[in-house]
Amino acid sequence: MISRRALLQGVGAPGGLPAAIATLAALGRLPAAPARAAAPVLPRGDRRVIVIGAGIVGLVAAHEMRRAGWSVRVLEAADRAGGRCLTLRAGDTVRESGAPPQRVAWEAAPHLYFNPGPARIPHHHRGILGYCRALGVPLEVQVNENRAALLQSSAGPVPQRRVQADLRGLVAELAAKGLERGTAEAPLGEADLEALRAMLRRFGALGADHRYHGSSRAGWASPPGAGLEAPRAMVPLDPRLLLEPTLWAGAAFAEGIDYAATMLQPVGGMDRIAAALATALGDALVLGAEVVSLRRTEAGARVRWQGADGPHEEEAAQVLVTLPAPLLARLDTDLPAARRAGLAALHYSSAAKLAFHCARRFWEEDHAIYGGISWTPGDATQLWYPSHGFHAEGGILTGAYIWDDELGARFAARSPAARAAAVAADGEALHPGLGREVAAPVSVAWSRLPRAGGAWAEWTAAQRRALYPLLRAPEGPYHFAGEYLSWLTGWQEGAVLSAWAALEGMG
Amino acid sequence: MISRRALLQGVGAPGGLPAAIATLAALGRLPAAPARAAAPVLPRGDRRVIVIGAGIVGLVAAHEMRRAGWSVRVLEAADRAGGRCLTLRAGDTVRESGAPPQRVAWEAAPHLYFNPGPARIPHHHRGILGYCRALGVPLEVQVNENRAALLQSSAGPVPQRRVQADLRGLVAELAAKGLERGTAEAPLGEADLEALRAMLRRFGALGADHRYHGSSRAGWASPPGAGLEAPRAMVPLDPRLLLEPTLWAGAAFAEGIDYAATMLQPVGGMDRIAAALATALGDALVLGAEVVSLRRTEAGARVRWQGADGPHEEEAAQVLVTLPAPLLARLDTDLPAARRAGLAALHYSSAAKLAFHCARRFWEEDHAIYGGISWTPGDATQLWYPSHGFHAEGGILTGAYIWDDELGARFAARSPAARAAAVAADGEALHPGLGREVAAPVSVAWSRLPRAGGAWAEWTAAQRRALYPLLRAPEGPYHFAGEYLSWLTGWQEGAVLSAWAALEGMG
């Protein structure tokens, strides 16, 4: 075991342990895991509240209000609850502004669905998972990292497993070489160095010589069978390939706190969460209710809205506004100009997705790829294989998940047919022949969805300092919530946490 | 991009790229993925074959023979097919030699099962997965690595995510320091070095200074919410902790080719595979048929066996013997002494497992752990959380998966009650209060299962050279197969590949 003293002495010396690490708090019991997230306890009473918008945030807020005995009406302009928590199935229609409607033309089956919005839930997003648990929404594993999925290199696609293993080998070998050369200068004793070296050997699958000679972690050149021949591991990739950013950037993707295993998904589609919340709300939820204006009154605020049966108006002491910022900015309200300008200034992502129906699950049958994500060389960016329905009759392949704004805008500007052609061409680089396997494309460019205003809010650091406190503050009878009013934008968990934060302010 | 010349020049110089990697084959198209595994095409005909043993290997072999029109009888001593492919449910009984029978005392529900033998299928085990596909055995994801699961340190359990992130940070920082000190000596230009540094920054989540200051990959000290406060990442662990083998060994576990995502499991229990194969065999499979002796005859071999209805004997031109090596060594046969001695010399693992019923899925409810594996400080070694039935009523927790021979033997020597007490005590270190949550233990020490002979074969390198060719060779009418006759011992895939190899020899 490396002594504390040796560590600290090693800090300044070449070859010693990293300074940033060595000067940390002393050993002791590790901090406990953070407490479980929970909705605030609301005062019980017969308040009346209007909630505008039945995305996850509005549904959750209304659900909690009703649990406290409040009288709630949720006004939702669309003919379904969920907002960006959306699942497409046979017969659904996507209506983008300025584009022809797209009808989902694949057959009906429980495993044939597409989540154009959120499509995965990290295991530590305890707010949204808590509602799944409370409302009985069945969950299953979503495969976010699959070592059989492909990354892009200038020499063609390379399986994740090979990149992961060879990168670890390369980095561990470089670290071991650094130790070798630093040994004489550093105050680390031989026992301490050996502890580090043992770690590096295991970390990188190095040989006893602390060099990386390849590893079965990368896959097999000749796989283990039942013949006389012993298996042989893949030889390491040329390091010039490993240093291509498309390989190393994609390989670290699932290290991110919101991308690491275990990832979950509702069985049958993400909208099962919104559907369960909507069911719990019963007739407190009014669909097809488009809010027209908001005005303060003596007792609170008056909401005018247009229903299927004509215009309505209704007053309440408090109104929770959960519209996305761009939509709220454009609504006829008596909100101060500074807030409205701030709402309009907040940028929303142009993220987009496209899915194909495939009669044959060629990724499983031909390539043994069960779920996970491959990276395409072109605009499509990511190709997602379904994490469910393994070996079933057909499947829905998410051919493109684009989140870069410029790529997303370019995608949105194309016709649905042109998008599909571009995505199929991109997928060919991963899976030659893909073009013959895919059919019935459907795409969603979030920037063109009239009731979304974009995929999610993207705060600049400067906006976080000045604008965020302004936009999240209540204003008289008006309270505000949405994924944009959280530090987890683009995640349903952000919507849940924002709903809870707004409830704190209303309670 | 690093030039080939710079790479090669860098080999000998301190600070250059690793020699073992730099001298590899030149760039070019990457090799294609290995072809899909397939059973051999057998000659059609009216042969008669007896298969001894209805584990995966015997079931698969018989299935292929019947597809070729051969007449097959499979003799299985147990009252169920599957061998070590075993699932326990409510009402089942485990009968170990020299131990009291254990009855599974939990209630009946589809998600309440325990796989004491194989419990996961790597996505590239295409033989066994092909049978799942052909026979319609539904599959789902098995979570082998969960970043919320726990590793052991002298300061208590640490979540995988924290160990993974901090190890990557430490190793990348050491590598970057090595480069810094080597720069002047090495022939790598600044552009090449910057490519390496950019990779290292991303690999280890290093700062712009190439030092690791902690990362949200490790988790949150203050998680992102919907308040004013920005989230704060966990501070790095003390490196003395990181250098404890219990942390770094467990953290590299799921890098192994047979442990990396995607891992799969049959919905409802591993024995669904054996059950599907058995159903396909119909009355070709005879359960409760204990083979008593094997003798060569002029036309082939005669098998004497004991059925429920008394003694039988039967001749066939070919007999495929799929018994585990220790059982075959002890059987009354006319096999040569050298083979019998070899069979007896092959060591079988004393691996063991123990499962509890838990009325409350405390690992999900209290700790947001959905599937995956934690490492215990004591003999229990690994604790597996179920990868299915999330948020359901109760669950089966695999409290111990022991594969070390010495620990397995110690476990086997204890009574079932003493095993459960030891495993619960071990689990307390991971989850204080676990002892109050667990009930109805059931354990399987494979060394004590009379029809298994142990968990799997463990070849020495010397045995692989001399004994393996001998044992896998057919002998007159006798052919041999089993996981032990493959390079994938301990995996169902090894059994499938051995079945196929034996069929090649019989065809």
Side-chain angles (χ1 to χ4, degrees), chain A residues 363-451:
Chain A
W363 53 93
E364 293 170 3
E365 207 172 317
D366 300 346
H367 308 292
I369 295 177
Y370 294 85
I373 297 173
S374 286
W375 295 68
T376 76
D379 288 9
T381 315
Q382 282 188 343
L383 180 152
W384 290 34
Y385 312 95
S387 296
H388 60 278
F390 300 133
H391 293 169
E393 181 95 358
I396 304 303
L397 188 70
T398 302
Y401 174 32
I402 302 168
W403 62 86
D404 178 88
D405 246 1
E406 198 182 316
L407 301 185
R410 193 152 72 199
F411 182 86
R414 288 178 170 146
S415 72
R419 295 171 186 171
V423 169
D426 212 357
E428 282 280 338
L430 291 171
H431 299 296
L434 173 137
R436 291 189 304 275
E437 304 278 358
V438 300
V442 57
S443 57
V444 171
W446 283 99
S447 58
R448 282 184 175 272
L449 274 257
R451 294 202 177 95

Side-chain angles (χ1 to χ4, degrees), chain B residues 84-99:
Chain B
R84 285 162 279 174
C85 169
L86 170 65
T87 301
L88 297 175
R89 300 180 184 81
D92 287 339
T93 301
V94 175
R95 293 176 202 282
E96 296 182 356
S97 54

Side-chain angles (χ1 to χ4, degrees), chain A residues 76-381:
Chain A
E76 168 56 50
D79 56 2
R80 58 163 194 88
R84 285 161 280 174
C85 169
L86 169 65
T87 301
L88 297 176
R89 299 179 185 82
D92 289 340
T93 301
V94 176
R95 293 178 203 283
E96 296 183 356
S97 55
Q102 303 173 65
R103 192 149 189 285
V104 178
W106 59 67
E107 72 218 271
H111 69 292
L112 298 182
Y113 67 80
F114 166 43
N115 294 323
R120 54 190 165 196
I121 309 177
H123 61 271
H124 49 87
H125 283 193
R126 307 202 69 180
I128 192 77
L129 289 174
Y131 288 106
C132 292
R133 184 162 177 269
L135 299 170
V137 177
L139 298 170
E140 63 193 355
V141 180
Q142 188 268 352
V143 180
N144 210 39
E145 186 183 61
N146 176 356
R147 294 293 174 92
L150 302 165
L151 294 165
Q152 277 305 319
S153 81
S154 59
V158 191
Q160 273 271 8
R161 69 169 73 84
R162 198 167 180 194
V163 178
Q164 299 280 358
D166 288 3
L167 272 177
R168 288 174 77 102
L170 172 63
V171 176
E173 178 168 331
L174 287 172
K177 285 195 156 180
L179 286 180
E180 277 167 30
R181 281 175 292 123
T183 306
E185 310 166 79
L188 292 176
E190 191 50 42
D192 298 339
L193 275 171
E194 181 43 34
L196 260 173
R197 284 197 209 103
M199 181 274 281
L200 291 174
R201 286 195 301 272
R202 172 79 173 167
F203 184 91
L206 304 183
D209 59 355
H210 301 99
R211 297 295 177 269
Y212 181 63
H213 306 288
S215 160
S216 62
R217 291 178 181 176
W220 299 109
S222 172
L228 287 174
E229 200 197 359
R232 277 180 300 108
M234 215 55 109
V235 294
L237 285 167
D238 191 301
R240 285 176 294 174
L241 276 188
L242 279 185
L243 293 182
E244 294 182 4
T246 53
L247 287 187
W248 53 253
F253 159 73
E255 298 300 317
I257 181 71
D258 286 322
Y259 302 90
T262 305
M263 300 294 287
L264 299 160
Q265 64 181 17
V267 175
M270 190 56 83
D271 71 349
R272 298 301 83 206
I273 302 179
L277 284 161
T279 299
L281 284 181
D283 58 13
L285 170 64
V286 186
L287 298 176
E290 179 118 37
V291 171
V292 175
S293 69
L294 295 182
R295 288 292 182 278
R296 293 174 75 150
T297 61
E298 217 156 286
R302 188 175 55 241
V303 181
R304 286 188 211 272
W305 51 281
Q306 185 70 32
D309 55 350
H312 295 252
E313 73 171 59
E314 198 165 345
E315 255 186 280
Q318 291 178 307
V319 177
L320 178 62
V321 187
T322 73
L323 299 176
L327 273 68
L328 180 53
R330 289 196 297 267
L331 189 66
D332 175 10
T333 66
D334 51 4
L335 293 170
R339 183 185 289 266
R340 281 156 57 211
L343 288 164
L346 189 55
H347 179 70
Y348 267 55
S349 157
S350 295
K353 287 190 193 175
L354 182 146
F356 294 111
H357 176 261
C358 302
R360 198 170 78 86
R361 298 172 77 97
F362 64 89
W363 53 93
E364 293 170 3
E365 207 172 317
D366 300 346
H367 308 292
I369 295 177
Y370 294 85
I373 297 173
S374 286
W375 295 68
T376 76
D379 288 9
T381 315

Side-chain angles (χ1 to χ4, degrees), chain B residues 73 75 286 288-293 302-315:
Chain B
R73 192 192 300 278
L75 302 174
V286 187
E290 180 116 38
V291 170
V292 176
S293 69
R302 187 174 57 240
V303 181
R304 286 188 211 270
W305 52 282
Q306 185 71 33
D309 55 349
H312 295 252
E313 73 172 59
E314 198 164 342
E315 256 186 280

Side-chain angles (χ1 to χ4, degrees), chain B residues 231-254:
Chain B
R232 277 181 301 108
M234 213 58 106
V235 295
L237 287 168
D238 192 301
R240 285 176 294 174
L241 276 188
L242 280 185
L243 294 181
E244 294 182 5
T246 53
L247 288 187
W248 53 252
F253 159 72

